[in-house]
Amino acid sequence: MRSLLCIVTSLVIQRTTSATSTINILSFATSSPNFHQMNFQADPVMGGKSTGSFKTESNIGIFSGTVRDVPSLSAPGFIKIQTPNGNFPNISTCSHILIEAMTTANYQGWRIGLGNSKAPQSRRFATGHKADFSAPSDKYQNISVAFGSFTNYWDPATGDAIVTCKENVKYCLTISILENVQTISIWAEGVNGDVTLNIRGIYATGCNGVIDGSLTNIGIIGKDVSKFLFA
């Protein structure tokens, strides 16, 4: 018991004395160790009519298309880009995702997804944690998305959160997910319109290199990180 207390104390001290940093987790430069291919997908798999494409040019990911109604739902569909499952840097000591991006379209349905987790009540295709974000127009900016904004209990018909992380911590990101998110996705969803997003890179920030032992309960896998998320 004494040794466990020492471990926790040591971790807390290290966390408070470590410098905050930013970790690159996805690059579109093929020479980068954090390069990941992203694949395009649209709602025609659900009978929808949305279209689009994804390409890389000069180390920039270019995502564009048009979101249209899914006739069977009489509601807007989606287009998205997503990495295959793979290895990503450990971001479990970070607090936010940063997306360095810009848009040339006035579109309000942007979302980012992390991982493959699934809430027990979720429908078949609702996997991963998702959060909304707004994209700047005309110039590149860093879009900050707090880990506490992500939930894995969302409606696959609209993309909207059913229960947020702040409403119930069991839908929050966990340390075990953040240790390797496995996959990252960008969605244009739930709002009809033309979309364009130019992405220079995706990062994690608010990182200090050490996990606070009081948040991980000495490393129990799947422990929620709500104390950290809402600090």
Side-chain angles (χ1 to χ4, degrees):
M1 181 69 180
R2 189 172 184 176
S3 62
L4 289 178
L5 180 60
C6 290
I7 291 172
V8 173
T9 304
S10 174
L11 287 173
V12 172
I13 291 171
Q14 290 179 60
R15 185 178 189 274
T16 57
T17 58
S18 300
T20 300
S21 63
T22 298
I23 299 172
N24 177 224
I25 57 175
L26 193 152
S27 170
F28 296 105
T30 56
S31 59
S32 169
N34 296 311
F35 170 79
H36 291 267
Q37 181 61 50
M38 299 197 85
N39 300 316
F40 176 84
Q41 183 181 336
D43 57 28
V45 296
M46 305 188 308
K49 303 296 183 182
S50 300
T51 57
S53 64
F54 176 76
K55 62 182 179 180
T56 57
E57 289 183 357
S58 303
N59 300 331
I60 294 173
I62 303 171
F63 177 31
S64 60
T66 303
V67 178
R68 300 181 177 92
D69 275 355
V70 178
S72 61
L73 300 175
S74 297
F78 74 88
I79 58 176
K80 73 171 181 174
I81 52 175
Q82 183 166 2
T83 68
N85 284 342
N87 293 318
F88 287 83
N90 186 337
I91 58 172
S92 60
T93 67
C94 308
S95 62
H96 290 69
I97 292 293
L98 287 184
I99 310 165
E100 186 181 8
M102 65 167 284
T103 182
T104 57
N106 182 19
Y107 185 74
Q108 304 300 318
W110 295 114
R111 295 184 169 99
I112 181 169
L114 299 177
N116 296 302
S117 70
K118 187 176 178 66
Q121 307 94 322
S122 292
R123 292 167 59 185
R124 179 180 175 187
F125 296 108
T127 59
H129 284 78
K130 288 169 72 173
D132 299 347
F133 69 89
S134 297
S137 59
D138 300 328
K139 66 178 182 178
Y140 285 98
Q141 294 183 34
N142 289 328
I143 305 159
S144 179
V145 187
F147 284 172
S149 300
F150 287 84
T151 178
N152 66 351
Y153 191 16
W154 48 272
D155 186 346
T158 64
D160 294 336
I162 297 173
V163 180
T164 69
C165 167
K166 289 187 177 182
E167 291 168 336
N168 192 324
V169 297
K170 72 179 181 179
Y171 303 119
C172 296
L173 289 162
T174 64
I175 292 292
S176 57
I177 292 171
L178 295 173
E179 286 174 339
N180 179 12
V181 297
Q182 297 186 326
T183 184
I184 297 174
S185 55
I186 301 289
W187 300 64
E189 181 180 33
V191 178
N192 284 336
D194 295 328
V195 306
T196 301
L197 191 68
N198 294 357
I199 312 165
R200 282 181 171 169
I202 298 177
Y203 310 83
T205 193
C207 318
N208 59 18
V210 179
I211 299 171
D212 183 339
S214 68
L215 303 180
T216 62
N217 198 17
I218 322 299
I220 293 176
I221 299 300
K223 181 70 176 178
D224 79 76
V225 291
S226 57
K227 281 177 63 180
F228 187 28
L229 298 175
F230 310 137

